[in-house]
Amino acid sequence: MLGSILSNCLLVLGMCFLAGGLRFHEQGYGVRIAQQQISLLSLAVFSISIPAAFTSSARVLQDKEILAISRATSIILLVCYIAFLVFQLWTHSYLYTLESSKRHAAATFQAGDSDSIAPPVGQSVFRVSSIFSHSSSDSDSRSPSTDNIASPITLTTHQAPPPEHEEEVPQLTAKFAFVLLVIVTVLTGLTAEFLVDSIAGLISKTRVTEEFVALILLPLVGNAAEHVTAVTVSVRNKLDLALAVAVGSSIQIALFVLPFLVILGWWIGQPLSLNFDTFEAVVVVLSVVVVNFAISDGRTNWLEGFVLMATYVLIGVAVFYYN
C-alpha cells in the first residue's frame, strides 16, 4: 500500500509533469484542488506515522495499544474520506468540472502580475539558443527612452495554444463498458495472485529483497494502467485530470483502503494495524513534503517532473539495500 502511494505521488506525477513539459513550456492546474488533495494526503501519512512513532518511542510496547490506536485512526480516516466525497461530488463539485479544468490550463498562457511571465507559445520547448534569442530580441526592442518601462514580455498577454476541438465521443456503451470492467478486474486479480506466488522464488534466487518487491516492483506492475492514463491526459494539457488520477489514487489508498482493511480485520477477528516500518513511514512522509512543494504554485514544467522521478529513484536505491 505504501509503495502505491510512493509510485503514484512521485513516479506517476513526475512522469505527467515531464511528459506534459516536453510539449508545453508550462502547464496549469487548479491550486485549490491541488492544496486540498495534498492536505488530505498529509493527514493520511501523518496518521500512518503515529503508530510507527509510538512504537519507536514507547518503553513498554503493547500490541493492544497499537491496535487501539490503529482502529481509532482508521475510523477517523474513513470519516475524512466520506467528507472528501461530499466535498468533491456535492458541495464543491464546480471545482472539478471540465470548464474549470480548461480555465486552469488556459490561464497558464496569460501573464499576471509583474512577477509573472507567460510562457512562449508556438515554439518548441527544447529549442536551440533560447536564452540568447530572448536576450537579443529584448535588447533590440528596448530604446534608451524606454529603459524605465517594464519589459514587454511581462505585459503581453499570450494566446493559449489552440484547444483540441475534437469531441470525445464514447466508443463503448455503458453496459459493455461495465462488463468489460468486471472481466478486466477478475483477470487482474488472478494475475496478481500468480505474481504474489512468484515473489518467494524471486527473493530466494536473486538479491532482490522483500521490501523492494513490496515498495517498488508490485506498485509498478499493479498501477501500470493508472500510469498510462495519467501520462496520456497530461500530454493533452489536462493536468487537473492527471492530478486526480495520480494524487487521487494515493488519497483513496491512504484514506479508504488502508483504514477499511484495518476495520475489516477487526470485524473478522484478524488483527491488522497501521504500524508500518519506521523507515517506510519516514520515506512516505518526506515524499509527500516533496510533492507539496512541487504542486503548490499551480504551474508545472518538465524539470519539476524530473525532480519527482529522481526522488523516486533515490528511494528505490535505498530500498534495494534495505533489509
Side-chain angles (χ1 to χ4, degrees):
M1 295 298 177
L2 295 186
S4 297
I5 297 176
L6 288 175
S7 65
N8 286 328
C9 289
L10 294 177
L11 182 62
V12 178
L13 193 59
M15 291 177 64
C16 291
F17 290 171
L18 180 62
L22 295 179
R23 184 178 181 185
F24 305 97
H25 286 83
E26 290 183 5
Q27 289 182 288
Y29 47 87
V31 179
R32 288 183 292 177
I33 297 177
Q35 290 298 326
Q36 168 257 322
Q37 290 177 337
I38 202 64
S39 63
L40 288 174
L41 196 58
S42 300
L43 169 66
V45 298
F46 175 75
S47 63
I48 291 174
S49 63
I50 290 179
F54 182 85
T55 303
S56 301
S57 59
R59 296 182 179 179
V60 180
L61 182 62
Q62 298 289 338
D63 291 339
K64 61 179 182 180
E65 296 176 351
I66 295 294
L67 287 176
I69 294 175
S70 300
R71 290 166 180 172
T73 302
S74 298
I75 294 175
I76 297 174
L77 292 180
L78 287 176
V79 173
C80 292
Y81 184 72
I82 295 174
F84 167 63
L85 292 180
V86 174
F87 178 88
Q88 184 179 22
L89 302 177
W90 188 11
T91 61
H92 289 69
S93 59
Y94 61 91
L95 296 175
Y96 301 88
T97 60
L98 180 60
E99 291 76 12
S100 177
S101 178
K102 290 180 179 179
R103 286 197 301 268
H104 297 154
T108 309
F109 299 90
Q110 297 178 354
D113 52 20
S114 58
D115 295 331
S116 177
I117 300 177
V121 179
Q123 299 179 1
S124 175
V125 176
F126 290 95
R127 62 189 184 280
V128 180
S129 304
S130 58
I131 298 179
F132 299 102
S133 61
H134 278 299
S135 301
S136 60
S137 61
D138 293 344
S139 60
D140 293 339
S141 60
R142 186 179 302 149
S143 61
S145 60
T146 59
D147 286 341
N148 296 328
I149 300 178
S151 174
I153 298 180
T154 60
L155 300 178
T156 303
T157 300
H158 292 256
Q159 297 295 328
E164 298 179 358
H165 293 286
E166 69 272 6
E167 295 292 336
E168 297 182 358
V169 180
Q171 301 295 327
L172 304 176
T173 62
K175 293 182 179 180
F176 183 78
F178 180 77
V179 174
L180 184 62
L181 178 63
V182 173
I183 295 176
V184 172
T185 303
V186 173
L187 293 178
T188 303
L190 294 176
T191 306
E193 289 294 331
F194 290 118
L195 180 63
V196 172
D197 293 339
S198 63
I199 291 178
L202 176 65
I203 295 175
S204 61
K205 295 181 181 179
T206 62
R207 294 181 56 188
V208 178
T209 62
E210 184 177 355
E211 289 77 11
F212 185 80
V213 173
L215 287 177
I216 304 298
L217 292 185
L218 283 181
L220 288 178
V221 177
N223 300 331
E226 294 179 356
H227 296 187
V228 176
T229 301
V231 173
T232 301
V233 297
S234 66
V235 174
R236 298 178 180 177
N237 202 24
K238 299 178 181 179
L239 212 55
D240 282 335
L241 181 56
L243 282 173
V245 174
V247 183
S249 298
S250 300
I251 293 175
Q252 186 180 44
I253 293 172
L255 290 184
F256 176 72
V257 178
L258 281 176
F260 178 77
L261 291 178
V262 173
I263 300 300
L264 180 61
W266 186 14
W267 181 54
I268 65 177
Q270 181 68 32
L272 293 176
S273 69
L274 298 176
N275 184 22
F276 293 97
D277 183 76
T278 304
F279 171 77
E280 297 175 354
V282 170
V283 165
V284 173
V285 171
L286 295 179
S287 300
V288 173
V289 173
V290 174
V291 174
N292 183 29
F293 285 118
I295 68 175
S296 60
D297 58 348
R299 291 189 178 189
T300 186
N301 49 63
W302 68 267
L303 183 59
E304 290 183 351
F306 183 81
V307 170
L308 291 178
M309 295 175 63
T311 304
Y312 186 77
V313 173
L314 290 175
I315 294 175
V317 173
V319 172
F320 183 79
Y321 292 99
Y322 179 74
N323 192 357

